[in-house]
Every structure is written in structure tokens, then in C-alpha cells.
Amino acid sequence: MPKTYLSSNVIDSVLKFEWLLVVDAVILSIVGIALIYSATIPMGVMGRSFVIKQTAWLFLGLTLLLLFSFVDYRALDRWGIWIYVFILLALITVSIFGRVTSGSRRWIDLGMMRFQPSEFAKLAVVIVMAKSLSGRLRGPLKDWTEILKNLGLVLVPVIFVATQPDLGTAIVLLLVALSMVLFVGLSKKIWTAIGGLALISLPLVYVGAKYFLLDYQKKRLLTFLNPEHDPLGAGYQIIQSQIAVGSGGLLGKGYLKGTQNQLMFLPVKHTDFIFAVLSEEWGFVGCAIILLLFVIFILRGLTVAGRARDDFGTLLSVGCVSIIFWHVTINVAMVMGVAPVVGVPLSFVSYGGSSLLLSFLVTAILTSVSARRFSYLAQP
């Protein structure tokens, strides 16, 4: 017998809206635009275009947030596999026809904007894995078939993304999938087997790093271990970033007054290194406030996961929260020099339409799960 959904009416949805998540996301995005403005002032007219585009994407993100918040998240249970297939086709299209920028083929040029399918691959993986793992929250995974099935769901997009090449997104995809599996849990037998395989695979990791990583990726790893090895080349970016972070002090140098930023010592500062601009101009206190906003977002997202009325909603929320968590963790660690530079943007804050739209879609799904925590599936 086909299922139907008891959809909440608009008034109920407004009352149950996750206003804390939405306000948090909007504040972070507005801070991001202010930082992008500061970071791109020295670029002149080109810099202003970045601010205008990011503002337009913010309004588009808010529109998507309002639209998808009122859509029942359980529709993703039915349509998730088609979203996954669509993203895989988009990744294949990028591999063939994608636009090459700085040696990477990651974008599809749509004229007015560029679309980066690998950003949305994270959400597609979360949806299909939430469906695949539904019903498994009452006990740890014991069956290798299930583990290999979920491993396959994430490895296929990871392979396409890694060949673009986009190592940062590939790592985030793996970490998000791992977070969802660990949330479900693994049996002791599986843990023992994985530990043994990991020990046996260590030599293969060395061989893979030696023969399959590209030259610039090897340089990034060497630079992470010793930035002073090539201070004017591969190490330049991380050294300038660390100077910017350290020079901010407790309260920072003041908005638009960061010397590393305004004198153009800091590369890619409006995208992956926007946190360095924040550190230099707003200091430790400013960074702590922004990180607190992310902590509030993540904790609220986990609350939504805990209150969801079904396994699919819980796993979907956990996956969405893990996307934001890993983006923030990797980006901040990368900027501070405690992790290799892998090109991961700071959610809501860094310049980039695909990244910002993904962040607002994550927020929309969490609000949808929260708004329907009191509604149930019904049989007609």
C-alpha cells in the first residue's frame, strides 16, 4: 500500500522553524561578506565583483533555504538515489568538459556562474548513506556486505573528485561517510579486522603517496612538515598565513587595517584563507566569537538529529552536521599550519557560490527534520 505524508501546514512550519540555525547561518554569511570585502579591496573593481556575487549567492541561498525548509525531508528517502546519480553524471561531465582553473578541472561554466558538482557530492553521499544505514541504529554493523556497500557509495564520487584533482573535497567526503558509519557503530569483530587491514596497508599508503600524488600535493605535504624548506615557493602561503594569525593578537589590528591582507602578502585570502584575514583584523576575540557561532550551529544540528522521529532523519542530520564540522575543522587547522593545505573553504564565510549554497541546503534539511519531529508517516 503506498505511503502518504502528513505535511505540516505553513503556520506550523513557521512556528517550528529552526530560527537559531537560520540566524546563526545568516550572521556567519554576513561576516563572510564583510571579510571578503576587506580581502578584495586591493583588487579594485575585480574585488568589488566578488562582494556583489557573494551577496547575490547569499540571497539565492536564503531563497533555497525557505523553499526546501517547507519540503518534507522524507522525500529525499525516495529521490536520494536519483540525486546521487545526477551528481555522478555531473562529476563525469566535469571530467570531460569542465573548466580548468589553476590546474584543476572542477567547474561547469554556466555563463553567469560556475557550478562545482563536487561540493554537492557531499550532500548526495549523506542522503544515500542515510537511506542505506536506516534501521541500523539499534545495533552496530556486523555484516561486511553492508560495510562494502556503503564504502562503494562513497568511493565512486571520491575517485571522480580525486582525479579533478580536488584532494580536500575527497578527504571531506571520506570523513563525512566515516562519521555516519561511526555514529551507527561497528562490531568488535569488524573493528579488529579494520585494525589489521590498516596495519597491513601502511606500506601501500607510502607507495600511493609516492607514485600517485601530484607534485604540488607532495610539496604541500612537505611544506606542512617544514614550511621554511621553500619559504618563497610552496611554503610562502602558510608562512604568510601564520604571520597574519599571530599578528592579530587579542583584539586584532582593526577592520580593513590588516597589513598582511591589505599589502597583498596573503594569497587566496578571500577563499580558503579567509580565516587568516579574520585573525589578523579581529584578533583572538573575533575568532573565538566566530568559532562559537559554528559550535552553536553544530550543537543545534545534533539536537535536531537527536529529536528526529525516524532513523533516516537522524542519520541525515548527523551527515549534514558532519559536513559543516569537517569543513570548519580542516580549514582552521590548515590556516593555522597544523594540517596540510588541501583547499577546503570555511563554510558560510569563504567566497564561493557552490560552497555557500551547499551550506544553506544543509541548514534547510536540518530545519525540515526539526519541523517534522512531531509528524508521522500514515497509511491511507
Side-chain angles (χ1 to χ4, degrees):
M1 184 178 293
K3 295 179 178 179
T4 59
Y5 297 95
L6 292 178
S7 58
S8 305
N9 60 42
V10 174
I11 295 176
D12 283 345
S13 297
V14 170
L15 292 175
K16 297 172 185 173
F17 206 68
E18 274 294 336
W19 290 107
L20 182 60
L21 276 177
V22 175
V23 171
D24 200 314
V26 171
I27 292 174
L28 285 168
S29 302
I30 292 173
V31 169
I33 291 173
L35 291 171
I36 292 167
Y37 175 73
S38 175
T40 56
I41 280 183
M43 301 179 191
V45 176
M46 180 187 293
R48 287 195 289 277
S49 70
F50 288 127
V51 176
I52 294 170
K53 287 180 181 177
Q54 188 75 358
T55 305
W57 285 324
L58 171 57
F59 281 105
L60 180 57
L62 287 170
T63 304
L64 291 177
L65 169 66
L66 292 174
L67 287 175
F68 283 97
S69 293
F70 294 108
V71 173
D72 195 325
Y73 70 93
R74 288 169 291 193
L76 296 174
D77 194 3
R78 290 183 299 172
W79 293 98
I81 188 63
W82 296 110
I83 294 172
Y84 180 79
V85 171
F86 173 78
I87 291 296
L88 287 184
L89 292 175
L91 289 173
I92 294 171
T93 303
V94 168
S95 300
I96 301 172
F97 304 106
R99 177 173 176 171
V100 178
T101 303
S102 303
S104 298
R105 192 187 296 272
R106 303 177 185 175
W107 297 272
I108 298 174
D109 201 337
L110 300 177
M112 293 292 291
M113 65 177 291
R114 293 187 300 171
F115 171 60
Q116 188 177 354
S118 58
E119 282 295 317
F120 300 96
K122 300 162 193 168
L123 198 52
V125 165
V126 165
I127 294 170
V128 292
M129 285 194 65
K131 181 178 178 61
S132 173
L133 294 171
S134 290
R136 300 297 177 192
L137 290 181
R138 293 161 190 80
L141 289 175
K142 301 176 182 177
D143 189 349
W144 277 103
T145 304
E146 286 183 286
I147 293 174
L148 292 176
K149 173 187 169 187
N150 286 285
L151 186 64
L153 287 173
V154 66
L155 280 185
V156 174
V158 162
I159 290 171
F160 281 114
V161 170
T163 55
Q164 289 181 354
D166 187 352
L167 182 61
T169 300
I171 291 173
V172 171
L173 276 168
L174 289 171
L175 289 173
V176 168
L178 179 64
S179 301
M180 296 180 71
V181 170
L182 291 180
F183 182 79
V184 173
L186 297 171
S187 68
K188 290 181 181 178
K189 181 181 175 181
I190 299 291
W191 272 118
T192 305
I194 290 176
L197 286 173
L199 287 175
I200 295 171
S201 303
L202 282 178
L204 296 178
V205 172
Y206 172 78
V207 172
K210 185 174 182 179
Y211 294 103
F212 292 99
L213 286 181
L214 300 177
D215 287 341
Y216 83 92
Q217 292 170 334
K218 293 177 182 176
K219 281 184 179 179
R220 284 181 174 182
L221 288 175
L222 293 173
T223 302
F224 164 62
L225 298 173
N226 181 19
E228 301 294 339
H229 174 72
D230 187 11
L232 298 179
Y236 180 79
Q237 190 170 26
I238 191 61
I239 290 173
Q240 297 303 321
S241 174
Q242 289 175 326
I243 292 173
V245 171
S247 64
L250 182 63
L251 299 175
K253 297 176 180 174
Y255 184 54
L256 306 180
K257 296 179 181 176
T259 51
Q260 291 295 111
N261 171 28
Q262 299 300 331
L263 297 179
M264 299 288 284
F265 285 111
L266 194 61
V268 291
K269 51 191 178 178
H270 60 298
T271 54
D272 298 343
F273 280 76
I274 198 78
F275 192 77
V277 178
L278 171 72
S279 302
E280 185 182 28
E281 296 190 349
W282 299 14
F284 174 80
V285 173
C287 292
I289 292 172
I290 297 303
L291 291 178
L292 178 62
L293 288 172
F294 278 116
V295 170
I296 292 171
F297 187 96
I298 290 167
L299 291 179
R300 190 64 186 175
L302 292 176
T303 302
V304 171
R307 296 189 309 188
R309 299 301 303 194
D310 53 33
D311 288 358
F312 181 71
T314 298
L315 288 162
L316 196 62
S317 302
V318 169
C320 287
V321 169
S322 67
I323 290 175
I324 302 298
F325 172 80
W326 286 116
H327 267 258
V328 175
T329 302
I330 295 174
N331 182 274
V332 173
M334 183 180 80
V335 169
M336 296 179 70
V338 296
V341 176
V342 289
V344 173
L346 186 61
S347 298
F348 297 109
V349 182
S350 289
Y351 172 80
S354 298
S355 173
L356 189 62
L357 295 183
L358 170 69
S359 301
F360 273 100
L361 284 175
V362 163
T363 310
I365 290 174
L366 290 172
T367 57
S368 178
V369 173
S370 178
R372 288 158 184 84
R373 60 187 182 276
F374 298 119
S375 60
Y376 296 87
L377 286 172
Q379 301 292 336

